[in-house]
Amino acid sequence: MASVHVLNGVNLGALGTRRPEVYGTLTLDDIERDLREAFPGVEFRFGQTDFEGEMVGFVREAAASAGIVVNPGAWTHYSYALHDALEAVDVPKVEVHLSNVHGREEWRRRSVVSPAVDAVVAGMGAYGYRAAVGYVLGARGGA
Ligand code: DQA
């Protein structure tokens, strides 16, 4: 089975210590462990970067994957490059936000990435990644 790519963008490597009251106390390693436990039959690829071009590369590498779960961090709100990279890849794609971006600052309410994905999850904390992976698998008739 093709792998599910879970991609985290700018500043998400600091999860666990970065504004825990907003983003929770779990680290990316914790989230990875949780997904591997929740979906034992799934092959995962995990990637995190603070460099936009590297993230574009990660998206291209997922072109033949079972799907992409992506939390772009602040790139969500202004990266047309990430939008275009996602738009060019024809696999199930879900945008995830740990926090409820619609209940925070005005500028977080706009995602330039959303038009290039199938679904958006926001405000469910780390569980949002599970929901997104479940969707990706279902979109391929898997789960
Ligand atoms: C975030 C929300 C973004 O607005 C923010 O810049 C992040 C994290 C989230 O997961 O809630 O870095 O994507």
Side-chain angles (χ1 to χ4, degrees):
M1 184 210 180
S3 48
V4 175
H5 292 226
V6 180
L7 307 179
N8 283 282
V10 60
N11 287 315
L12 289 160
L15 276 188
T17 53
R18 174 189 176 209
R19 300 204 61 197
E21 74 283 7
V22 176
Y23 298 118
T25 53
L26 296 184
T27 64
L28 272 190
D29 283 348
D30 293 331
I31 291 172
E32 176 173 344
R33 205 173 306 116
D34 179 69
L35 289 179
R36 290 192 192 281
E37 276 172 26
F39 301 96
V42 173
E43 188 195 319
F44 283 107
R45 300 272 178 82
F46 290 86
Q48 190 277 324
T49 181
D50 293 331
F51 297 93
E52 190 181 27
E54 191 174 16
M55 177 59 94
V56 166
F58 286 170
V59 171
R60 286 206 196 120
E61 283 167 17
S65 71
I68 300 174
V69 171
V70 59
N71 184 345
W75 290 326
T76 304
H77 313 295
Y78 64 86
S79 177
Y80 299 115
L82 185 54
H83 167 280
D84 285 357
L86 286 164
E87 188 181 47
V89 172
D90 187 22
V91 298
K93 290 160 279 187
V94 185
E95 173 187 341
V96 173
H97 301 287
L98 292 147
S99 66
N100 175 7
V101 283
H102 300 287
R104 301 178 62 195
E105 299 95 324
E106 180 76 32
W107 58 268
R108 288 189 206 273
R109 292 187 195 160
R110 175 158 180 260
S111 167
V112 302
V113 170
S114 293
V117 299
D118 301 284
V120 181
V121 176
M124 293 191 192
Y127 181 77
Y129 288 84
R130 280 201 198 198
V133 171
Y135 171 83
V136 161
L137 298 175
R140 281 283 170 93

